[in-house]
Amino acid sequence: MRGDGAHALRRFSFNQATSQHWPLPEVVAGCVAGGVPGIGLWREPVAAYGLARAAKLVRDAGLEVTSLCRGGFFTADGWREENLRAIEEAATLGTSVLVLVSGGLPAGSRDVDGARHRVADAIAELAPHAAAAGVTLAIEPLHPMFCADRCVVSTLGQALDIAERFDPGVVGVVVDAYHVWWDDTVYAQIARAGARIAAFQVCDWVTPLPEGVLLGRALPGDGCIELRRLREAVDAAGYSGPVEVEVFSAEVWDRPGREVLAASVAGYLRHVA
Amino acid sequence: MRGDGAHALRRFSFNQATSQHWPLPEVVAGCVAGGVPGIGLWREPVAAYGLARAAKLVRDAGLEVTSLCRGGFFTADGWREENLRAIEEAATLGTSVLVLVSGGLPAGSRDVDGARHRVADAIAELAPHAAAAGVTLAIEPLHPMFCADRCVVSTLGQALDIAERFDPGVVGVVVDAYHVWWDDTVYAQIARAGARIAAFQVCDWVTPLPEGVLLGRALPGDGCIELRRLREAVDAAGYSGPVEVEVFSAEVWDRPGREVLAASVAGYLRHVA
């Protein structure tokens, strides 16, 4: 059973944001105990724990860091320094994937085209630094409901339009089921993405959305997204990397971390793997 | 001044949903008093007032009914009869535009492709009836945040893929700024739409979105949408019809109707016309 379980979870990764209030050492211990080989990290809890200490913790535990969230926010002041730091942190943590959430419109702006140009320009500026650090800048299209305030990159096609200007090892894309499932062109864009797919994340879509819409996600299988179909599509495009469960949900965050990890594993096995 | 104002408002239409609690006779009187030539109606308040009575009311006031909301919801039981009734109501009210909100996924379903095929099939079934009644079925793409629960038609491109199978006089599209502004292909799709554009609606995008996300719209000019640019784009595509202000907002609904109409006119003149 143990052997079967470990094999079935070979590609599974637990993004730490899924259990927001679970302290990092306990997340790591939980992953090890559960036969989970991968973990997705976030900069803020890593910084709170200490970067070098966090890197040692996950390395000693034998966990693969499948991604670091997040760089981006290119329309904010200080974006350059922040992103250079994020690249270094990814390298220190031993992950080659830095997820980019590109940022929304500057306050008071209506210039969505301008913001989008700024994203492409910023990535061009960061690309040599990412290449030198061995880190892939993974552009994550966010659901269009976040266009104004979080991310002006709203579709996989748009992310690829930017990414394709660069070497695939340096600039890739994130396919997060929550953000792209509604798009009638998503399967064509996944096929187009091919080796550009740097990360694949899953959770589920449920309604009604909560105020602010950020924390309305559900565990895999609890909503209406064809998660397995999307996983099969990224596989068919040539992706064979980790599948991260990443759920932002006030309700999930209130549950004990170990229980959430177990539910994430169960949802993954039943609806994604 | 009166003459100038009337000319400036030549294309302006007030969708009655913008002032949800304003009784129909008062909306009509307000429009007449304000030099507003057009009104967008909804089936439920029209039915509550009486269909024939409402038709006479707006006709006697000299108002053009620029659209009727709404047909659609093709994934619900009884959709055929409901939509046939809606077509007849549009004809009775003297409008050639029946707005279609196509419906989301059936409860428990993950089959978004299937739901989309059902929309196309339903429209094919309704088209001869609409043609006979002189009514255009106007497919409205709704923002992708409504894909699961209100409308699986999520982009203008997707709406056109369906509409283009039919005569442009029978099946068209609605361009509602709120639903399409985020789309990096929207200007290309508006150009493609050309004579398919059956209606153009405006309001504005503000954050944070409220719970359920339905009532989070703002009056034109209060948010981040390039409304004038979109209006110019539909004009360049050949559209010369009404511009409906349609705002769903709990905050706006709490204000007196006459004040909301005046604010809609002001926002239209300043940010759209």
Side-chain angles (χ1 to χ4, degrees), chain B residues 73-75 79 100-104 113-126 139 151-153 162 165-166:
Chain B
F73 284 91
F74 301 118
T75 46
W79 66 266
L100 300 184
V101 173
S102 296
D113 282 359
R116 285 167 171 167
H117 285 303
R118 243 166 108 168
V119 169
D121 291 347
I123 291 171
E125 228 181 294
L126 295 173
I139 305 170
C151 186
V152 291
V153 180
I162 300 171
R165 304 176 199 176
F166 305 92

Side-chain angles (χ1 to χ4, degrees), chain A residues 8 14 25 32 39 45 70 81 85 101 118 142 144 163 168 195 201 233 249 260 263 271:
Chain A
F14 186 68
V32 171
I39 186 169
R70 59 195 185 194
E81 296 66 29
R85 265 197 292 276
V101 173
R118 243 167 110 169
L142 255 57
Q201 299 180 322
S249 157
V260 170
H271 296 281

Side-chain angles (χ1 to χ4, degrees), chain A residues 113 116 182 209 212 221 229, chain B residues 110 113 116 182 209 212 221 229:
Chain A
D113 282 358
R116 285 167 171 167
W182 58 271
L209 293 164
R229 183 180 174 199
Chain B
R110 294 188 179 98
D113 282 359
R116 285 167 171 167
W182 60 270
L209 293 165
R229 183 179 175 201

Side-chain angles (χ1 to χ4, degrees), chain A residues 105 109-110 113 116 143-145 147-149 158 181-182 184 205 207 209 211-213 221 223-226 229, chain B residues 105 109-110 113 116 143-145 147-149 158 182 184 205 207 209 211-213 221 223-226 229 271:
Chain A
L105 293 169
S109 168
R110 293 189 181 97
D113 282 358
R116 285 167 171 167
H143 192 285
M145 69 187 175
C147 184
D149 55 354
Q158 198 195 339
W181 72 275
W182 58 271
D184 69 321
W205 184 279
T207 56
L209 293 164
E211 185 183 354
V213 303
C224 66
I225 305 179
E226 294 176 289
R229 183 180 174 199
Chain B
L105 293 171
S109 169
R110 294 188 179 98
D113 282 359
R116 285 167 171 167
H143 192 285
M145 68 187 174
C147 183
D149 53 355
Q158 198 195 340
W182 60 270
D184 69 322
W205 184 279
T207 55
L209 293 165
E211 185 183 354
V213 305
C224 67
I225 305 179
E226 295 176 289
R229 183 179 175 201
H271 297 280

Side-chain angles (χ1 to χ4, degrees), chain B residues 11-23:
Chain B
R11 296 175 68 183
F12 179 88
S13 173
F14 187 67
N15 189 293
Q16 74 170 131
T18 303
S19 198
Q20 181 82 348
H21 309 303
W22 208 13

